[in-house]
Amino acid sequence: VQLQASGGGLVQPGGSLRLSCAASGSIFGINNMGWYRQAPGKQRELVADITSGGRTNYDDSVKGRFTISRDNAEKMVNLQMNSLKPEDTAVYYCNAKRTVGTTTFNYWGQGTQVTVSS
């Protein structure tokens, strides 16, 4: 599975950005896709994810501001980010998970920088 992320950039506090991630290759068995972020000096953390059935999960810090969506036919996952805050500044990574038995395989995109600053 290859993941190509796009849509990052520089935005002022309160602004919006939309991240997109396109999956290619064999996506058979990919059951969960999402976005993680990593700020300088911090560990990578889950922002939001979505199952193939459309069930979503958000970190508390982004609830009500971010919306994750998935287009299974187009093999894409998107993250609409509204009311952005400086603390949202990070490199955002697209993620896909495939579980085979008791083993989960993680696939990562290349990362896209999001900077929230005035």
Side-chain angles (χ1 to χ4, degrees):
V1 177
Q2 293 80 46
L3 302 173
Q4 181 68 43
S6 61
L10 171 65
V11 65
Q12 292 187 341
S16 298
L17 282 174
R18 182 178 176 87
L19 304 183
S20 295
C21 176
S24 60
S26 174
I27 65 167
F28 178 79
I30 295 294
N31 49 14
N32 187 295
M33 297 185 71
W35 291 91
Y36 287 69
R37 66 186 179 188
Q38 188 168 17
K42 295 187 176 181
Q43 290 188 333
R44 191 173 296 188
E45 62 179 8
L46 174 68
V47 177
D49 59 17
I50 184 169
T51 68
S52 56
R55 188 171 69 242
T56 58
N57 175 50
Y58 295 92
D59 183 77
D60 285 345
S61 66
V62 307
K63 283 181 180 177
R65 300 189 297 122
F66 292 9
T67 302
I68 191 168
S69 60
R70 179 171 175 170
D71 186 329
N72 290 325
E74 295 297 325
K75 297 184 288 185
M76 292 191 68
V77 62
N78 302 303
L79 185 69
Q80 178 65 42
M81 304 185 295
N82 298 328
S83 302
L84 282 160
K85 304 176 180 180
E87 51 263 43
D88 296 317
T89 296
V91 178
Y92 283 69
Y93 295 91
C94 180
N95 170 267
K97 289 183 170 54
R98 173 185 284 131
T99 299
V100 180
T102 59
T103 302
T104 297
F105 297 91
N106 279 286
Y107 303 91
W108 297 96
Q110 82 279 17
T112 184
Q113 177 71 46
V114 171
T115 302
V116 185
S117 175
S118 55

